[in-house]
Amino acid sequence: MFVSLARQTHAHGDDARLLLAAVERMPAADRAELLNAALHLFLTPASAPRGHNQEDVAGPSE
């Protein structure tokens, strides 16, 4: 879903406000999954295989 939103944002002149508005409308659980995916990209060493020894960093807020 996020990739689709990012592509739409790119097609509309890379206006990040569109992407931010879409993320803000996502349910909390989906935002938490998006945050986990983004954090895994930054926290996982480039040499480590995807999913190797990774734990969830954020959970749905209640």
Side-chain angles (χ1 to χ4, degrees), residues 13-30:
D14 290 328
D15 187 352
R17 293 174 296 180
L18 298 172
L19 187 59
L20 178 60
V23 170
E24 287 174 341
R25 288 191 305 265
M26 292 172 119
D30 290 345

Side-chain angles (χ1 to χ4, degrees), residues 11-58:
H12 289 93
D14 290 328
D15 187 352
R17 293 174 296 180
L18 298 172
L19 187 59
L20 178 60
V23 170
E24 287 174 341
R25 288 191 305 265
M26 292 172 119
D30 290 345
R31 286 193 314 266
E33 285 183 41
L34 178 60
L35 175 60
N36 273 322
L39 289 173
H40 285 159
L41 286 174
F42 291 105
L43 297 176
T44 303
S47 61
R50 289 280 193 159
H52 182 68
N53 291 333
Q54 294 177 346
E55 297 179 15
D56 283 345
V57 177

